[in-house]
Amino acid sequence: GAVVSQHPSRVICKSGTSVKIECRSLDFQATTMFWYRQFPKQSLMLMATSNEGSKATYEQGVEKDKFLINHASLTLSTLTVTSAHPEDSSFYICSAPTRLDGELFFGEGSRLTVL
Amino acid sequence: DAKTTQPPSMDCAEGRAANLPCNHSTISGNEYVYWYRQIHSQGPQYIIHGLKNNETNEMASLIITEDRKSSTLILPHATLRDTAVYYCIAKKTSYDKVIFGPGTSLSVIP
């Protein structure tokens, strides 16, 4: 079946640095991908919708200059957390639909820890 | 997308059927009911979805009421590995963005 893969699964970085998380659709083309963030014991929070070849659509309250999303190909979307701070430490998850009425596949998630 | 309401938590004995309810009283005629689950520290996993007919797959069954205002996800023989947070979502297409509610935290007890 369709698979969405994220890399890295875990990353630790120093405050002030930038971190890039990749989301790949392995056996299907994804014109749309969604990025979520999840804090401990909370539900997933939608950050943005990534569209291949165009700008991402960010949810209210999400800083687009801090969370840079690029969807340059039909199989890859990237989320870059710029100038990361400890409060950006979270579990970041991407997802992609396979067809109009089908299931939404999720990546394994990427746990970011900012020291 | 229609708002869904689920109980915050449920327990189920191992080997028994787990019946997870979801209320979606404002669902529109072209919105599907989707179920996902999230095991701790993993990405959510698709379980099943349906429009108005009952559906069954290798993981679960989905029972949708005739008026489509509520549904029940049934795990026929719950195992400890089914302990997870289960999310019920109503949306028109898989390309629509998904806003997750708190879901139901299911604990399967030995």
Side-chain angles (χ1 to χ4, degrees):
Chain A
V3 175
V4 172
S5 179
Q6 282 183 242
H7 178 81
S9 58
R10 292 179 180 271
V11 56
I12 300 172
C13 71
K14 293 181 179 179
S15 186
T17 61
S18 295
V19 174
K20 180 184 286 187
I21 300 170
E22 295 185 344
C23 179
R24 293 181 184 275
S25 56
L26 296 186
D27 56 0
F28 67 100
Q29 294 183 332
T31 56
T32 299
M33 288 186 176
F34 302 100
W35 285 96
Y36 293 85
R37 179 167 59 176
Q38 186 175 36
F39 293 108
K41 298 191 177 182
Q42 293 186 22
S43 188
L44 290 82
M45 185 193 79
L46 180 66
M47 298 176 68
T49 302
S50 170
N51 301 298
E52 188 268 334
S54 64
K55 292 183 179 180
T57 304
Y58 290 82
E59 295 298 304
Q60 192 172 10
V62 178
E63 300 174 61
K64 61 180 181 181
D65 294 330
K66 181 167 183 62
F67 299 99
L68 301 179
I69 291 173
N70 184 281
H71 196 152
S73 79
L74 288 171
T75 58
L76 175 64
S77 175
T78 59
L79 167 68
T80 301
V81 183
T82 63
S83 186
H85 291 286
E87 57 266 30
D88 299 322
S89 298
S90 189
F91 193 50
Y92 292 87
I93 306 166
C94 68
S95 68
T98 55
R99 63 178 194 273
L100 194 63
D101 64 344
E103 50 192 283
L104 190 62
F105 284 95
F106 287 81
E108 314 94 322
S110 299
R111 186 163 302 281
L112 170 64
T113 301
V114 184
L115 302 176
Chain B
D1 295 335
K3 178 179 167 60
T4 61
T5 305
Q6 299 175 251
S9 63
M10 292 181 66
D11 291 340
C12 176
E14 188 178 16
R16 298 288 196 132
N19 298 287
L20 291 89
C22 179
N23 183 289
H24 32 80
S25 58
T26 61
I27 196 169
S28 61
N30 57 357
E31 285 185 308
Y32 290 80
V33 178
Y34 285 79
W35 283 84
Y36 294 86
R37 74 180 182 184
Q38 186 180 25
I39 295 169
H40 183 62
S41 294
Q42 297 182 23
Q45 176 190 24
Y46 165 84
I47 301 173
I48 199 167
H49 75 285
L51 186 61
K52 52 184 176 181
N53 297 322
N54 297 338
E55 302 287 344
T56 295
N57 62 21
E58 64 278 4
M59 288 182 69
S61 294
L62 173 61
I63 308 299
I64 303 173
T65 58
E66 195 169 338
D67 63 8
R68 299 206 335 118
K69 292 185 177 182
S70 65
S71 61
T72 301
L73 178 75
I74 301 173
L75 307 178
H77 305 287
T79 70
L80 298 179
R81 287 178 294 181
D82 292 321
T83 292
V85 178
Y86 287 77
Y87 299 99
C88 167
I89 292 152
K91 60 191 183 83
K92 294 184 181 67
T93 78
S94 57
Y95 285 87
D96 293 338
K97 61 184 182 182
V98 175
I99 306 298
F100 283 87
T104 296
S105 178
L106 175 69
S107 296
V108 180
I109 302 166

